[in-house]
Amino acid sequence: MTEEIVDLAQELIRRPSRARIDDYGPVLATLEDWLGARDLPRRRLHDDGGRPVALLVEVACGRPGPWWALDACVDTAPYGDEGAWSFPPDCGDVVDGWLRGRGAADSKLAAAMFCRIAAEVHARAAELRGGLAVLLDADEHTGGFGGARAYLADTAAARPAGVMIGYPGRDEVVVGGRGLWRATIAVHAASGHSGSSRRTVGAVSRAARLVQLLEEAELPGAVGDFPLPPKLTVTSCHGGEGFSVVPDRCELGVDVRTTPTFDADAAEAWVRRAVADLDAQLPTPRPTAITPVATWPPYRLSETQQPAAALLDAAAHEGLTVTAKTAGPSNIGNLLAAEGIPTTAGFGVRYEGLHGTDERARLADLPKVHAVYKQAVLRLLADGSAPPQRGAGLY
């Protein structure tokens, strides 16, 4: 059984699917061939421009009940410096118990495992309730989450009562994540010649002062049952040209990781206060401008809420010591949380080199990880009751 999963994962790794670099057609066709050979219903999902962004597998069960979903991405990060790899990034081979190549960890092995679980559910669907969807997302590493968006927008698809995402890592089940608020900040100043006898404060200097104001301000700590505090990072700075001109514009990128008690509105208000301080301390005719570019809500499931409870219970049944974790980075779980869909975003095999050099996944973990997901899915499909949904934040 695990051999079949590994064989499919190897074929997927050997079909490069780097985000915004490779054609996703070959990797999707490989999945379609595997699913078609087992008579599993599947169809491609497309974005507004008609580009394929996911493959959706839908297994309807014989009795009424809620649908649940498994989600794994089949696009990958780029290879980076291929000369730094000790093996070809698309080799897909197995050496010393490790599956090697880009996507082995994130997340082609999980995609292959979820396809196998779909086949196992399909074989006994008549006795189960609701249905199982497997979303094989080909637009995750772009950051656009096009596959998940297309799934949620598809009126022909049953809306899932919960989702389990197959990100790797065997010691934790990720049950939440910080949200984010991102913005660009345009800092202005009067232009002039750098050699002028008149003292001028250019846009880069004003931007540097704003960075100080942002990073010196102390954000609140963690509050309540959400274990992480908010975090602010200045992620980019672009301004000026050459040496003889005082720059009249400098643009900063600001990323704020948000929490239930410090949400997107609080993050924006915090940044606007720093901008107001800058314009008061170093006035200029043109005020500093803030342009919000993205926002996600934070979310966290309780350990008794499905599908987290089913996954944690199944792990314990398999003798694994697994803890519930709230992640610092955001993920597709934040997108689903905004839609009121409870989501776990990580439990899988151990790994090395994710998004980096020499990516590989530990195959010794696969039998138990497969058993945990299969047991969790079958429990959910046997139960037939949907979890209570408590709004976008899922608290």
Side-chain angles (χ1 to χ4, degrees):
M1 187 179 301
T2 56
E3 182 179 350
E4 184 181 26
I5 295 170
V6 174
D7 287 345
L8 176 57
Q10 289 181 287
E11 292 303 311
L12 297 177
I13 293 168
R14 290 166 183 159
R15 285 151 181 82
S17 52
R18 293 165 291 176
R20 295 197 178 97
I21 297 175
D22 297 312
D23 177 12
Y24 301 143
V27 75
L28 293 177
T30 297
L31 289 162
E32 288 169 328
D33 289 345
W34 192 96
L35 295 163
R38 291 154 181 82
D39 295 324
L40 287 166
R42 72 277 175 199
R43 57 193 174 91
R44 292 192 183 191
L45 302 181
H46 299 82
D47 63 14
D48 292 339
R51 184 176 64 94
V53 290
L55 191 65
L56 181 63
V57 185
E58 296 168 300
V59 181
C61 296
R63 303 166 68 189
W67 279 66
W68 302 88
L70 299 171
D71 177 5
C73 57
V74 296
D75 67 335
T76 72
Y79 296 153
D81 180 5
E82 294 186 47
W85 287 63
S86 64
F87 49 83
D90 61 353
C91 65
D93 60 7
V94 175
V95 175
D96 296 330
W98 292 85
L99 174 64
R100 307 193 308 175
R102 178 62 84 223
D106 186 16
S107 292
K108 290 182 176 180
L109 183 60
M113 179 180 65
F114 288 167
C115 287
R116 176 62 198 173
I117 291 174
E120 291 166 331
V121 169
H122 187 252
R124 53 187 296 185
E127 67 192 64
L128 300 173
R129 298 178 179 273
L132 175 68
V134 176
L135 180 68
L136 303 165
D137 193 340
D139 190 51
E140 194 263 10
H141 283 84
T142 63
F145 299 160
R149 293 181 187 278
Y151 174 40
L152 293 174
D154 191 333
T155 56
R159 189 175 182 85
V163 177
M164 291 179 281
I165 302 173
Y167 294 135
R170 207 188 72 164
D171 297 329
E172 297 160 333
V173 171
V174 175
V175 298
R178 284 189 294 202
L180 62 81
W181 178 83
R182 289 174 176 163
T184 58
I185 304 177
V187 180
H188 302 283
S191 185
H193 197 292
S194 60
S196 171
S197 59
R198 181 171 58 89
R199 182 180 181 277
T200 55
V201 179
V204 171
S205 297
R206 295 186 78 242
R209 178 57 183 147
L210 178 57
V211 171
Q212 284 184 305
L213 291 170
L214 290 169
E215 294 189 341
E216 288 173 356
E218 186 174 349
L219 292 170
V223 177
D225 63 353
F226 197 89
L228 298 175
K231 180 183 180 184
L232 183 150
T233 307
V234 178
T235 57
S236 64
C237 181
H238 304 286
E241 184 176 359
F243 294 94
S244 63
V245 176
V246 176
D248 60 1
R249 177 186 171 93
C250 184
E251 186 173 280
L252 300 176
V254 175
D255 175 285
V256 183
R257 298 297 163 142
T258 60
T259 69
T261 56
F262 191 86
D263 60 10
D265 290 340
E268 182 169 355
W270 193 275
V271 171
R272 289 193 180 279
R273 282 195 294 272
V275 164
D277 288 345
L278 172 73
D279 287 346
Q281 294 176 18
L282 299 173
T284 186
R286 188 173 180 185
T288 303
I290 300 171
T291 304
V293 297
T295 183
W296 294 103
Y299 81 102
R300 188 174 190 275
L301 280 64
S302 74
E303 296 178 30
T304 59
Q305 186 174 3
Q306 299 292 17
L311 201 54
L312 289 164
D313 288 349
H317 184 267
E318 290 297 320
L320 300 178
T321 301
V322 176
T323 59
K325 176 185 177 181
T326 300
S330 303
N331 53 65
I332 290 181
N334 295 81
L335 169 65
L336 296 168
E339 297 287 330
I341 300 172
T343 303
T344 61
F347 171 72
V349 302
R350 285 170 284 188
Y351 62 91
E352 293 179 357
L354 187 147
H355 285 207
T357 303
D358 287 353
E359 181 177 346
R360 60 183 190 162
R362 186 177 175 87
L363 293 179
D365 295 339
L366 180 59
K368 285 209 168 187
V369 170
H370 171 245
V372 167
Y373 273 107
K374 179 181 175 180
Q375 185 182 144
V377 166
L378 291 176
R379 172 185 168 180
L380 292 168
L381 294 175
D383 181 35
S385 60
Q389 295 186 5
R390 300 171 58 185
L394 300 178
Y395 289 95

